[in-house]
Amino acid sequence: MDEDQANAPDTGAMLLALTRFISHWTSLEFQRSVMLSRSVRLDPTAVRALYILGREGGTATPSAIAEATHLSRPSTSKLLARLADSGLLLRSTQEQDRRSVTVTLTALGQSTFDELFAAGIAMIDAATRDWTPADRGHLNRLLPRFIADLTQTPPQ
């Protein structure tokens, strides 16, 4: 075995670790614990919609949210109606095309997103508390690159 093969990552182990992480992070139990730690009372699907809106600068189209949450358009419409009724977002039609709708986080929606985002940062800080700054730096550089490459590569 040459040196490159000896130092090659075990992609099977990487896949298992990634699967374990995704399963844990997206589990209902974990999402509920994060929300309760920040006194947020939303279902996990609503939290995902808030994250999408927050990631997009506070405004998105319902179709973009449907695509990102993997929900049907009717389910997305019901979700957005619940969030609007809760005062977390506003729906507005475009002047140039009355059929085109956007949703925007309200001040309450933005502060709720900020609370959830802060909880995520605190969890990452706690998980990497004993890491060296170099290790944190490596993860910070490599993880976005890995995700970008993974999401742009079609399955083979």
Side-chain angles (χ1 to χ4, degrees):
M1 180 182 305
D2 66 20
E3 186 177 338
D4 285 342
Q5 288 175 323
N7 292 327
D10 178 352
T11 53
M14 288 172 43
L15 176 60
L16 291 174
L18 184 59
T19 302
R20 183 174 179 222
F21 168 74
I22 292 168
S23 295
H24 175 73
W25 194 268
T26 60
S27 72
L28 294 177
E29 181 180 321
F30 180 76
Q31 291 295 317
R32 280 189 196 105
S33 71
V34 171
M35 289 183 287
L36 290 174
S37 77
R38 297 296 174 138
S39 299
V40 172
R41 302 286 187 258
L42 295 171
D43 63 86
T45 305
V47 169
R48 286 178 55 207
L50 283 183
Y51 265 106
I52 293 159
L53 282 163
R55 181 185 73 205
E56 297 301 320
T59 301
T61 63
S63 58
I65 293 171
E67 183 178 322
T69 58
H70 307 288
L71 293 174
S72 67
R73 289 187 189 271
S75 293
T76 301
S77 182
K78 289 175 188 173
L79 168 65
L80 297 177
R82 283 195 328 265
L83 291 172
D85 290 345
S86 298
L88 297 170
L89 62 81
L90 294 173
R91 297 172 136 201
S92 57
T93 55
Q94 300 297 313
E95 284 188 31
Q96 60 272 36
D97 182 359
R98 290 286 193 205
R99 295 169 296 165
S100 183
V101 175
T102 58
V103 292
T104 305
L105 289 175
T106 62
L108 177 60
Q110 184 65 51
S111 68
T112 302
F113 166 76
D114 292 343
E115 276 296 313
L116 294 170
F117 196 78
I121 288 172
M123 285 183 285
I124 291 169
D125 284 343
T128 59
R129 173 181 39 245
D130 298 332
W131 292 27
T132 66
D135 284 346
R136 284 180 66 126
H138 290 311
L139 181 64
N140 195 37
R141 280 188 307 282
L142 293 174
L143 189 58
R145 177 180 163 194
F146 173 72
I147 292 168
D149 290 347
L150 187 65
T151 57
Q152 291 176 13
T153 304
Q156 302 208 2

